[in-house]
Structures are given as structure tokens and as C-alpha cells.
Amino acid sequence: MQSRSAHKVYALIFLLLIFISALIIAFRIDNVRFEADILSCLPKETKSGIDESIIDEYTKRIDSQIVFLVKDTKDKIRAYNAVKELYNELKNDDMTADILGYSDSDSQKQFNEYIYKNSHAIISNKLRKSLEKDSYDKKVLSSLFSGFAGVSSNEIASDPLLLTRNVVKELSKGNNIRIKDGFLYIKYKDDGYYFLNVTTKSSAFNLKSTKLLSTKLTDLVLRLENNYSVTILKRGTLFYSQNASQKSENDISLIGSLSLIGVFSLIFFVFRSVRTVVLALLSVFTGVLSGFASVLLFFDSVNIILLAMALSIIGIVCDYTIYYMTLRLRSQSNQSAFDTIRILKKPLSLAVATDAVAYLIILLSPIEPLKQLSVFCMVTITVSCLFVLTIEPYLCQRVKRREFKNTAIIEKYLSFVSKKKNCLFVLSIIILICALCVPFTSFNNDPKSFQSMDEKLKSDDLQISLILKQTENTAYFAVQAKSVDELLYQNEVARKYFDSLIKESTISSYKAIPLNSQKTQIEDIKRIENRLDSVKNALLKNSIMVSLNNKELLPVELDDFIKSKVGQSYAPLLCADKDKKVFATLIIVQSNIDRKELAKTVSEKLSNTKLIDRHDDFVKIFEQFSIHIIYVLVSFIFSIFVISTIRVGLKKALYTTFFSILCVLCATGALPVFNYSINLFNELALILVLGIGVNYTIFFTSYKGDKRTSISAIITSLLTTVISVGLLCLSSVNVIASFAITLNVGIIVSFILATLLPGLCADE
């Protein structure tokens, strides 16, 4: 009676836990951001050497950018009307922060006036060298008297050094963008495109805003294409994220529904009892409720792609109810529901502990969404097991003992694996399959392979890259400094070096903030004043009068430059951390050689200039994680050997360890059959394969009664897991599908090998 009263206390504590979980979900769900792009699974760390806050800020800016290209038409009217309406719609949208692409007459006037007044602050190194030469006077005169230069006497009178003309020429060098009908216009081959660059207010990984804005813009583009018969290309993380979100939502709704229907239909078919289905459903519900509550409690953002992977947990948590109900139905007539749970408590606790440890290992990953997956699954399986241990005995007190039907196949299989030669035959076939498949496996930790992009989005992205001359060797270098003036100086040094690389044909062009440091600006003002006197004298000799009201030359601050019409297009290049202690600016380089080789060359000359290549950084980081997980797998297998040696002796421990290795090899060997490579997520699935495999061995070898009982429970639990995990193979997200294949093959092989163990050790 004392034990029964203690059990009642545990049951009440469990119900209180479920109530608290429901409260956590109610209070936290509105404060959590849901994300749906595989890119948000990427780690924060990089190897670039640039401050992480700077990297984060640049990443946010990239994620908030959208590019539209409206292809020009032969009549020149439809495309203009389309881009005009598109611009107006975007301008009036509350979710857009800024639009670059339209320049009216006032803006163009302000642009030209700013350059005229401040050209001394943005002189290039080439123009500076030219000013220092005495031949500059002759260049001015030759430009004036040349019929092709287009220099008027009025221009000479107001700007004797032609600085405005030369600065504009330098700024537009290597740039195929011009202004047409007030919009930025790009020529590519025989076609022309109106260009709009939009900055959104919220992150592209925010599910709510992404879905709303993406749907709105996609509908707008389709409407304009139909109304004006034009082609509009679009590119942006917003669209990729929404596409991933839609796929993930479809996967969760379809696969989740099929998984639930399949699993519970199977349970009903096996047990011929609605009670068992309800118990399994309650076990899953309480586990998932608590798992979801724990994720909301510990994380401020949730990735639904990883939660789609967590659907595989449905089959696993149903196993505990299956094991209990199988034993309960085959129990002795004088055995109560609480007696049955006492028999099952030790192996069930050991199995849950093994699963929890497997997910605990995943928790060590530095990738936050994987931590979410780990916490969700770890809590779900623990709470589901607690439901079985504390609540189910109360609900199964009147369950009557009965025999399972259609056990002939099970008896034949048990008879088959009871003979050692048959076990060796099956084992040799598994080893042979491994030997044939494993050599074809390969590793691929490229994040681009984790998720397939929509074909239309992929086509638009490729065309926009070609039109904007963005190739695989387009390199993004960040110049970092601790003050604004130091940043401008370092940027100036980098520009000089990249100018030398252009002469060597190492690079074709680059884009950088053209503003010089305060020191250089003051020196350039002196150069200009010195050169101005000689040019004036040369002009006077040719009877050309120069304006006496010359502009006052003063140094220009970076903030003032960025706020100007000239500096607006350079604003996205500039960045600072929140405390204004670290400043950085980007230099975008069109390289003629591999960007890694260029980065090596630049790093040798410019210590403060580093290549930002998040793609290569992520590949390297994932490769390191993969190596760490391999060490974890080896440690896990060694732990299995040590624990098995203590529990069942050396011979069975050797078999168990060998079987664990074989499961891993079979699971990875199946990937090339389905045209997948091994990646970080597959390796994480292997940890679960080992954990579930140990479960099967524990239940099959721990139960001392009729083997038909234990194998009936294991087969049913295997099938429920295969259904829930197997359906994930249908996922449109590559990383989920490959994860499911690895897990599915691994647990099937684990089941087969677990049933072979008694037959192979029959002589003991």
C-alpha cells in the first residue's frame, strides 16, 4: 500500500508538470520567433578574423536585401510603366525601409552639386598622381580645345582643374549602371534592365513578416508581368526563406498527419484495442507538449525545419506504451498493472536513459537549431516514458490477459535465428552489403546541398548574378579599424593596393567607399591649391577667364558623406558595432583569379583587410563538427562495449559492439544508393541509431519470459518508428530526407542484429 501511495504522489507530480508545460506555451508562444530557412541553422562562428558583431550586422543587411530587374521592352513604355508602378508600390509599403533605384531631377542635381563642392575629398590615387605632374596643365587645355571632350568654357571657368568631371569618371569606372527615365538602368548584352534594390525592415528569417511580405511581392510581380507583358527577375533571402517555410509547413502537416495515422493504425491492428491507441496518443501528446514548452522556455527563436526532423520522435515515444501493453496483455492472471510496470521499470528506464544520452550529445553542438532539436526530443521521450510509468498503470488495471494472434511468422523467425548457422548467414549478407555500398560514400558539408531551391528562384538568381557581373570569384573584403579616421586610412591603403592589382590584371574592378582620410584630404587640398595657380596662369595665357568666387575647400566627415546623394549607394558598405568601438567597411572585388588565392595575396600585404567568405567558413566549421561527432560516435561505441562487458560478459559485449559498428556502416552505406552524401546531420542520426539499437538489445535480452512477447513488442515498436521516420524520406528538404534514410536503415539493421545475438551466443 505504501508503494501504491508513493506511486499516486508521482502521478500527481507528473500531472502538475504537464499543467506547467501548458502554461509555459501559453505565455511564451507569442514572444518566440519562428524561422524556416536552413541558413538559420548555420553557426555564428566564422574564421574570417573580423569582429563577430560586424559579421552579424553585414549578414542582417544581406538578408534584408531584395533585388528586382525589370527587362526593357521594344516599345520602351511597358517596362517603364511596370517599374514605375513597382517602385510606387514598394515605396508605399510599411514593410520596406529603403529603395535604391530611382533618381529624379532634384536628386541628380544634388548629386552633381555635392561632387562639385566636395570633389577634393574623393580624389583617387590615380588622379592625385596626375595632379602632381606639371603636364596636368596641358591636359586641361587639351580637354578644352578638343572637339570630342565636351568641355565648355563655362565649366573651365567654374572648375579649372576639371575635378568634378574626373571624379565622376573615376566613380563610374567599371560600372555598367546608368540612369534612364529617372531609374537605374543596366545594359547586358543586347538587353536592358531597370534596377531596384529594396531593404526590408525585418529579418528574412522571421516567419510572420516573411510570409506576409513575400506573398505580397510575389503577387505584385505576377500582376505586373501579366498587366504589362514584361519579365521581372527577383532575388532575396526573403523569397528563399518563404519557399523553405512553405516546404517545411507542407512537410509537417502532410508527413505529421500520415505519421500519426500510420502509427496509431498499426497499434490498433496489432493490439485490437482502442485503449492502447489512446494511451499511445496520450503518451505522444504529453511528451510533445512538454518538449515544445522546453524549447519555448530556453530559446527565443525556433527553426521549424529542425522540428520537422523531430517528427521522427513519434515512433520512438510510442515504443514505451507498446512495451508496457505487450507485457500487460501477456502477464499472469494474478499480476496487477503496477506489478507489470515494476518488471518493466528497469529496462524501460535504461532505454530512455540511452536515448536521452544520445540526444544530450547532440546538445553539445554549437548550432542552436540542433540544440532545439536535442532539447525537444530529450524532454519528449523522458516525459512520455514518465507517462507510461506513472499514469498508464491506473488506466490499465482492468486490462485482461490475452494471446496475440498471427504469431506464426514470429515463431518461425525465432526458430530461424535460434540456429547459429542461420545467424551467421544473415550476418554475412549484411556485411557483404556494407562492403559493396560503403566504398561509394562521400562527405559533403556544403550548406548549399542541405536544401534545394525553387527552380524559378534559382533561374532568377543566376540571371541576376550574370547581369550584375557577380561571379563565383566576386570577393568581399572587410577593412576593420577602431576609429572612423583610421578606417578611412586603412580603406585608402587597400584601394591603392587593389589599384595595383588591376594593373596586374589580377582583378578587373572593385567597389569601395571613395572618401579619403582627413589627413589625405588636407594634403589633397594643398595639392589642388598649388595646381590651381598654375592652371589659372595657363588659361589666362589663352585668354580664358576663371571665376574669382572659387569654392572653399574643407575636409569632409564620413557621416556627412554617407548622408549625401553620392554616399547613399556606399552606405551598405559601412558598419559599426553597437558600442561604436569597432568600425568596418566592405570592398567588393571582381577577381580574375580564385578568391581564396586572392585572399592569401591580400592578407600578406594588408593586415587589417580580411576576406569575408561565410560559405567557405561554414564548410570548414561543419567539417570540424563532423570530425568531433566521429569522435563522439567512437566514444559511444566504446561505452557500449564497456557497459555490455559488465552486464552480459565479454563475448556478448564484442558481438554488441561489432553490431553497433555494422549498424553505422549500413546506415551510411545506404546514402549513395539514394544519391546523398554524408553530412553533419547524417552523423547526428547515427548517434540515434546507436541509442535505439541499444534499446532493442536491452529489451530482447532483458526479458526472461517468453521471447515471443519481447520480439512482438520490438517488432511493433520497430514498425511504428519506421513509419514515422520513413515518411520523413518524402520531405522536400534534402537534409531531412537524408537524415531519415540514415535513421531508418540504421534502426532496421539494429533490430535484425539484436535478434541474432541470442542465437550467436547460444553455446553460453
Side-chain angles (χ1 to χ4, degrees), residues 9 19 26 33 79 96 102 176 433 476 516 546 579 581 623 699 714 743 751:
V9 172
F19 179 70
R33 185 176 72 257
T96 58
Y102 179 68
N176 63 337
I433 293 171
Y476 295 83
N516 296 314
V546 178
D579 301 324
K581 292 182 178 179
E623 286 173 351
F699 280 108
I714 293 174
L743 196 53
F751 163 77

Side-chain angles (χ1 to χ4, degrees), residues 17 137 206 210 255 313 320 361 378 398 401 458 539 567 658 701 712 753:
L17 174 67
D137 302 358
N206 187 305
T210 295
I255 296 174
I313 205 74
Y320 309 134
I361 293 171
M378 193 163 49
R398 297 183 180 181
R401 185 183 185 281
K458 188 188 295 185
L539 291 171
F658 176 65
T701 57
S712 296
L753 294 176

